[in-house]
């Protein structure tokens, strides 16, 4: 298949179908058909409100799908990537016991078991094999729930999709689980060019052994479907022959794969009907619904969601993917789609530039809002409104824009915004809603920091009756984690005029920015009109210091903690070490790791050239220091001191390489001023502004990434980290 606009739309529809399916099925995950029918009846739409659960959640089905595919990007877009490299991608992005996986225990959770194997030096595919873990652990559902991305980079090529899916699945699974993953990937890949469900299944079945259980169950369900028109009766046949009672373990692939096939055949390619069947049928509903939603989205494109049922509105493209790269936690369906599209081009040797020069928010697909929403501040009139929609045109950089239609009374203002860090509403969750959302932890870094540039273009509709006044703004967490607004200059724009905006953001140190937006300022009289937001981009390097904020007062030992003290400044860092003390009388950044390397990090995987510095002390440690261009836990540069009195430049890339080192004195509890500069491929480290190490890395250099601290088998601490 050509990687053209039709392909682009189908990828976007597939990603939307995946997240819609997961969000739809998550509130009643693992319920049986009987319980679903008794408590909520047939599922035709989102039921989260009925069950007091949030709709948009962190979920392994989403995070694993879009994280593990990064292996292709990280390993030079190698179409023949190996399972071992995909396993290394697990180690790079997963924060142990925090992100992506169900941490249910070795021997209980297939993924937890495989991760522990990888950590212990057992490479994929042995890490997920039956020989290593046993048949029960190796044949659970996880192999197929993470698999959709491998299909979407291989449109119309089910054989290659199945090969890649098999390698990815083998990191954590084996046997029937890998066959199921291959089937799902082949179906989704072939759905780019074929709509007939029977033909999709016929091709996919040729890619697995005919004597496998997955092959047999597909054939059985095809036969039942040919003679029985009621899907509920066929569902009962599935339960009788392939139900959980026949397969040990927590969530076996066989029963759930059967429900995927059931819904595809009886859903007849209709998104609403297929979602109704796969979710009402029960068992692992978010997993099954996510796979099927992706497949039907690919098959039908964006018209999948045109039935009249508002699948897209409540979701607003929003996705959460918490990993060691916290800058990519808050993302959206369009952003992830263009990442997939870029990988698909690169594995074919084609360079691809995402729309509008790669702007963070480009709105370049029909209906996309990328998490932007609108509210009216100080509303006094019932007739006031603020609406945002995605429309064609009004873009100098592309073909679509975000239309902002408003009618505001005097003293009112309207703001449209999106979250760039931990959304305020998540802090307000309680009870079952909080338990559901944080069942997978939410680790996150801001997407914009003080010193960076917000760029945009805004056009006023030519038919506006009056000029419009607006400004860009950010909201940052400040004292007691209340929001404080920092705004750019107000711009007045005439009807038909376009304004280009470049605003360098400045907020106080350690005030994490949680919202980016545009505020429409009302006039003395009624204000109405239409504005078009072409794109919003974030660029440049930050210039800021990270420390305990001045409004958080350190307490003497033994004093009662201030329960209103801000905590978001800490939450803007990813903790990937055993300990980071939160005792207020201790240094702001005091981290410990029991064995091996532990990190804390903040920033963006897109930061390129900068200098990071800090005064560090050790209580104990094998080594430790500052890190730059962090792209995960296995990909970064470090300037380190060792207990043997060595100052060294280190590159961590699937292993530790010492780039340069010199002998230096080392004393415990003594401050050492470390400075690490990255400029192109040149890495420069300094200690106390005197000892200098420099290295020009020409061998697969890491050209961008976040900052932080690293400590190996000990404790390191500092009060402040600075980036310039």
């Amino acid at each position: 298949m050509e990687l053209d606009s039709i392909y682009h739309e189908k990828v976007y529809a597939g990603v939307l179908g995946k997240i819609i399916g997961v969000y739809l099925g998550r509130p009643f995950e693992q319920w049986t058909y009987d319980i679903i029918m008794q408590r909520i009846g047939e599922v035709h739409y989102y039921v989260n409100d009925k069950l007091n659960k949030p709709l948009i959640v962190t979920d392994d089905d989403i995070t694993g799908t879009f994280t593990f595919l990064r292996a292709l990007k990280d390993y030079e877009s190698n179409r023949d990537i190996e399972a071992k490299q995909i396993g290394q991608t697990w180690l790079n992005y997963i924060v142990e016991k925090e992100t992506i996986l169900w941490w249910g225990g070795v021997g209980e959770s297939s993924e937890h078991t495989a991760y522990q194997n990888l950590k212990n030096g057992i490479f994929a595919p042995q890490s997920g094999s039956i020989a290593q873990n046993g048949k029960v652990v190796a044949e659970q559902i996880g192999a197929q729930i993470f698999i959709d991305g491998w299909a979407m980079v291989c449109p119309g090529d089910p054989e290659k999709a199945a090969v890649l899916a098999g390698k990815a699945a083998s990191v954590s699974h084996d046997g029937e689980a890998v066959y199921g993953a291959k089937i799902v990937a082949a179906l989704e890949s072939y759905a780019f060019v074929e709509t007939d469900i029977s033909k999709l299944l016929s091709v996919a079945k040729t890619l697995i052994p005919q004597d496998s259980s997955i092959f047999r169950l597909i054939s059985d369900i095809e036969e039942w479907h040919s003679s029985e028109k009621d899907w509920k009766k066929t569902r009962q046949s599935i339960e009788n022959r392939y139900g959980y009672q026949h397969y040990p373990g927590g969530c076996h692939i066989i029963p759930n794969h059967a429900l995927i096939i059931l819904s595809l055949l009886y859903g007849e390619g209709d998104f609403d009907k297929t979602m109704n069947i796969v979710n009402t049928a029960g068992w692992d509903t978010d997993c099954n619904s996510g796979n099927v939603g992706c497949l039907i989205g690919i098959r039908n494109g964006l018209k999948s969601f045109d039935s009249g049922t508002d699948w897209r509105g409540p979701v607003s493209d929003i996705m959460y993917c918490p990993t060691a790269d916290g800058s990519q936690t808050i993302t959206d369906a369009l952003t992830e789609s263009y990442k997939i599209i870029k990988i698909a081009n690169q594995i074919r040797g084609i360079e691809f530039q995402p729309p509008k020069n790669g702007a963070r928010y480009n709105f370049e697909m029909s209906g996309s809002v990328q998490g932007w929403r609108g509210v009216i501040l100080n509303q006094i009139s019932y007739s006031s409104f603020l609406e945002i929609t995605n429309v064609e045109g009004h873009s100098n950089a592309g073909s679509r824009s975000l239309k902002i239609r408003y009618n505001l009374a005097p003293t009112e203002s309207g703001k449209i915004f999106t979250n760039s860090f931990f959304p305020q509403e998540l802090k307000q969750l309680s009870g079952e809603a909080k338990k559901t959302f944080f069942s997978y932890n939410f680790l996150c870094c801001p997407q914009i920091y003080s010193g960076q540039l917000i760029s945009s273009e805004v056009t006023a509709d030519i038919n506006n009756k009056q000029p419009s006044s607006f400004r860009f703004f950010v909201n940052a967490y400040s004292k007691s984690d209340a929001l404080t607004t920092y705004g750019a200059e107000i711009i007045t724009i005439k009807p038909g005029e376009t304004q280009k905006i470049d605003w360098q953001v400045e907020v106080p140190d350690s005030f994490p920015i949680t919202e980016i937006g545009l505020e429409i300022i009302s006039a003395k009289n009624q204000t109405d009109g239409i504005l078009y937001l072409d794109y919003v981009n974030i660029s440049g390097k930050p210039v800021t210091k990270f420390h305990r904020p001045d409004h958080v007062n350190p307490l003497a030992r033994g004093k009662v903690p201030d329960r209103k003290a801000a905590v978001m400044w800490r939450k803007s860092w990813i903790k990937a070490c055993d300990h980071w003390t939160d005792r207020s009388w201790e240094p702001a950044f005091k981290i410990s790791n029991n064995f091996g390397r532990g990190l804390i990090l903040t920033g963006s995987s897109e930061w390129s050239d900068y200098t990071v510095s800090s005064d560090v002390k050790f209580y104990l440690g094998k080594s430790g220091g500052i890190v730059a261009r962090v792209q995960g836990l296995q990909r970064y540069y470090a300037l380190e001191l060792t207990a043997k009195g060595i100052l060294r430049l280190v590159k961590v890339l699937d292993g530790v390489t010492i780039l340069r080192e010199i002998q230096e004195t080392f004393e415990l509890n003594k401050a050492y001023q470390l400075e690490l500069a990255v400029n192109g491929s040149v890495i420069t480290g300094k200690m106390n502004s005197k000892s200098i190490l420099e290295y020009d890395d020409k061998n697969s250099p890491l050209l961008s990434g976040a900052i932080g601290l690293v400590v190996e088998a000990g404790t390191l601490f500092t009060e402040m980290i600075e980036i310039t």
Side-chain angles (χ1 to χ4, degrees):
M1 180 183 184
E2 294 296 320
L3 304 184
D4 54 13
S5 60
I6 295 173
Y7 166 68
H8 293 182
E9 180 192 315
K10 284 179 173 287
V11 169
Y12 179 45
V15 174
L16 282 172
K18 174 75 174 185
I19 66 174
I20 288 168
V22 171
Y23 295 154
L24 178 60
R26 175 69 183 278
F28 48 92
E29 180 183 9
Q30 293 300 341
W31 290 17
T32 65
Y33 168 78
D34 291 334
I35 292 175
I36 289 170
M37 293 301 290
Q38 290 169 12
R39 293 192 58 183
I40 55 177
E42 287 199 30
V43 179
H44 294 281
Y45 193 59
Y46 303 116
V47 299
N48 56 293
D49 285 342
K50 295 180 181 179
L51 301 174
N52 190 31
K53 295 183 177 182
L55 176 64
I56 301 169
V57 293
T58 54
D59 191 274
D60 57 341
D61 300 72
I62 293 173
T63 309
T65 297
F66 297 99
T67 298
F68 300 150
L69 188 65
R70 295 176 192 172
L72 286 171
K73 171 184 68 70
D74 291 345
Y75 289 98
E76 300 176 345
S77 305
N78 180 8
R79 186 176 171 89
D80 297 316
I81 194 169
E82 294 300 327
K84 178 181 177 180
Q85 294 170 310
I86 303 172
Q88 289 299 105
T89 303
W90 280 48
L91 292 177
N92 189 49
Y93 290 107
I94 292 174
V95 181
E96 187 172 4
K97 298 182 181 178
E98 296 287 347
T99 63
I100 302 183
L101 308 182
W102 170 50
W103 299 96
V106 172
E108 173 66 10
S109 163
S110 302
E111 295 78 19
H112 191 167
T113 305
Y115 176 86
Q116 195 62 47
N117 289 337
L118 292 168
K119 187 179 176 183
N120 291 339
I122 300 171
F123 297 118
Q126 186 182 350
S127 55
S129 67
I130 290 174
Q132 183 71 32
N133 303 328
K135 188 175 176 67
V136 171
V137 171
E139 292 191 333
Q140 301 301 305
I141 194 175
Q144 74 185 13
I145 71 176
F146 301 143
I147 226 65
D148 313 88
W150 304 98
M152 288 189 277
V153 299
C154 299
D157 190 351
E159 292 86 358
K160 186 61 181 179
V163 168
L164 288 174
K167 291 178 180 179
S170 71
V171 174
S172 51
H173 291 77
D174 199 357
E176 297 294 339
V178 172
Y179 302 150
K182 287 184 173 183
I183 289 288
V184 171
L187 290 171
E188 291 178 348
S189 172
Y190 199 32
F192 277 96
V193 295
E194 176 59 63
T195 60
D196 187 288
I197 301 296
S198 295
K199 289 182 180 178
L200 295 180
L201 288 168
S202 178
V203 168
K205 285 169 66 179
T206 65
L207 302 175
I208 64 171
Q210 293 186 22
D211 61 352
S212 66
S213 296
I214 291 287
F215 188 100
R216 185 171 63 252
L217 80 80
I218 295 173
S219 300
D220 283 346
I221 298 169
E222 287 176 317
E223 182 179 343
W224 295 334
H225 171 255
S226 67
S227 59
E228 176 54 68
K229 301 307 178 186
D230 186 346
W231 71 263
K232 295 177 183 178
K233 292 182 179 179
T234 299
R235 188 215 64 82
Q236 187 60 58
S237 297
I238 289 172
E239 182 172 350
N240 293 342
R241 184 172 295 182
Y242 295 109
Y244 276 157
Q245 69 273 18
H246 299 295
Y247 301 96
C251 189
H252 203 277
I253 193 171
I254 293 291
N256 291 288
H257 193 86
L259 295 188
I260 287 176
I261 306 304
L262 169 80
S263 64
L264 287 176
L265 288 170
Y266 283 91
E268 300 175 326
D270 179 82
F271 187 83
D272 290 18
K273 189 175 180 181
T274 305
M275 288 291 100
N276 162 242
I277 294 170
V278 77
N279 282 283
T280 305
W283 292 335
D284 202 349
T285 45
D286 62 334
C287 299
N288 303 336
S289 180
N291 284 138
V292 170
C294 182
L295 197 161
I296 300 300
I298 292 169
R299 176 187 183 273
N300 300 342
L302 290 177
K303 69 177 183 289
S304 300
F305 317 112
D306 289 346
S307 65
T309 302
D310 184 14
W311 294 111
R312 297 180 65 180
V315 170
S316 299
D317 289 337
I318 298 171
M319 297 167 57
Y320 299 136
C321 292
T323 70
D325 185 353
S327 66
Q328 297 191 59
T329 293
I330 293 180
T331 185
D332 58 81
L334 189 59
T335 296
E336 296 304 314
S337 295
Y338 278 119
K339 290 178 185 177
I340 291 169
I341 292 165
K342 185 173 183 176
I343 290 172
N345 277 272
Q346 288 178 333
I347 64 177
R348 294 188 182 192
I350 304 169
E351 286 299 317
F352 176 79
Q353 175 65 50
K356 302 180 182 178
N357 294 316
R360 172 63 184 86
Y361 303 100
N362 59 66
F363 316 116
E364 197 65 358
M365 290 268 195
S366 178
S368 174
V369 297
Q370 293 189 264
W372 286 73
R373 56 197 186 275
V375 297
I376 296 176
L377 305 178
N378 306 315
Q379 185 165 0
I380 60 173
S381 171
Y382 289 112
S383 62
S384 298
F385 60 81
L386 177 66
E387 302 170 348
I388 62 171
T389 52
N390 183 293
V391 296
E392 276 193 276
H394 309 284
S395 170
N396 292 321
S399 62
R400 306 191 70 86
S401 59
L402 201 63
K403 178 180 178 181
I404 310 163
R405 180 170 170 262
Y406 59 91
N407 189 306
L408 303 172
T411 75
E412 293 178 343
S413 63
K415 76 169 187 177
I416 68 162
F417 69 100
T418 192
N419 282 108
S420 55
F421 176 55
F422 202 109
Q424 192 178 35
E425 56 264 29
L426 298 186
K427 295 169 58 208
Q428 300 165 351
L429 294 176
S430 61
E432 187 63 31
K434 183 176 182 179
K435 179 181 177 182
T436 297
F437 186 89
F438 290 103
S439 61
Y440 293 96
N441 207 353
F442 187 77
L443 304 185
C444 184
C445 295
Q447 295 186 352
I448 182 169
Y449 293 73
S450 188
Q452 292 193 274
L453 194 71
I454 290 178
S455 303
S456 183
E457 287 190 31
V458 178
T459 299
D461 193 273
I462 196 168
N463 295 314
N464 284 356
K465 298 177 182 178
Q466 58 194 23
S468 301
S469 295
F470 68 90
R471 66 170 183 168
F472 276 85
F473 71 90
V474 297
N475 277 328
Y477 284 115
S478 57
K479 186 176 181 179
S480 300
D481 285 333
L483 296 188
T484 298
T485 300
Y486 300 88
E489 291 184 3
I490 295 174
I491 294 173
T492 298
I493 185 171
K494 299 176 182 178
E497 185 181 5
T498 297
Q499 286 276 4
K500 186 172 182 179
I501 297 96
D502 288 306
W503 174 42
Q504 188 172 36
V505 177
E506 292 186 18
V507 302
D509 296 336
S510 292
F511 279 32
I513 296 171
T514 186
E515 293 175 0
I516 304 172
L518 179 150
E519 181 182 7
I520 300 168
I521 313 297
S522 60
K524 293 181 180 179
N525 301 316
Q526 192 82 9
T527 300
D528 64 354
I530 295 172
L531 295 175
Y532 300 97
L533 183 62
D534 190 347
Y535 62 87
V536 178
N537 196 31
I538 301 165
S539 62
K541 71 177 181 180
V543 179
T544 190
K545 297 176 181 178
F546 300 96
H547 54 79
R548 182 183 285 110
D550 295 338
H551 55 77
V552 179
N553 297 318
L555 296 177
R557 188 188 302 268
K559 293 288 186 179
V560 177
D562 180 2
R563 296 187 182 279
K564 294 184 179 179
V567 298
M568 287 297 160
W569 68 276
R570 283 175 59 92
K571 286 187 178 294
S572 66
W573 288 74
I574 302 299
K575 173 182 170 289
C577 59
D578 290 319
H579 306 281
W580 177 11
T581 181
D582 61 356
R583 296 185 296 190
S584 60
W585 61 84
E586 297 274 22
F589 301 97
K590 184 178 181 182
I591 65 171
S592 306
N593 212 57
N594 301 334
F595 304 99
R597 291 170 166 266
L599 295 90
I600 61 169
L601 59 101
T602 194
S604 170
S605 54
E606 297 182 357
W607 292 354
S608 55
D609 296 344
Y610 56 80
T611 299
V612 57
S613 59
S614 182
D615 292 344
V616 300
K617 294 182 181 181
F618 295 83
Y619 279 161
L620 185 66
K622 186 176 180 180
S623 68
I626 55 177
V627 292
R629 289 186 177 166
V630 186
Q631 299 177 5
L633 305 182
Q634 303 286 321
R635 304 171 73 89
Y636 58 87
Y637 294 109
L639 177 63
E640 301 179 337
L641 272 168
T642 77
K644 294 182 179 180
I646 293 174
L647 178 69
R648 64 190 187 187
L649 276 179
V650 165
K651 180 181 182 181
V652 177
L653 182 60
D654 297 342
V656 178
T657 301
I658 298 172
L659 304 177
R660 288 282 188 271
E661 63 180 15
I662 57 175
Q663 198 72 34
E664 276 291 348
T665 59
F666 175 80
E667 297 179 30
L668 297 176
N669 205 28
K670 178 181 177 180
Y672 296 92
Q673 206 275 333
L674 300 181
E675 180 181 299
L676 180 58
V678 286
N679 186 9
S681 61
V682 178
I683 317 302
T684 306
K686 297 181 183 180
M687 188 181 81
N688 297 333
S689 300
K690 291 185 291 186
S691 300
I692 299 176
L693 297 171
E694 186 171 285
Y695 186 81
D696 191 357
D697 187 9
K698 298 295 188 181
N699 183 20
S700 299
L702 304 172
L703 296 177
S704 62
I707 66 167
L709 300 173
V710 61
V711 66
E712 182 182 11
T715 296
L716 171 151
F717 59 97
T718 184
E719 289 287 5
M720 184 170 65
I721 304 159
E722 184 173 7
I723 182 170
T724 55

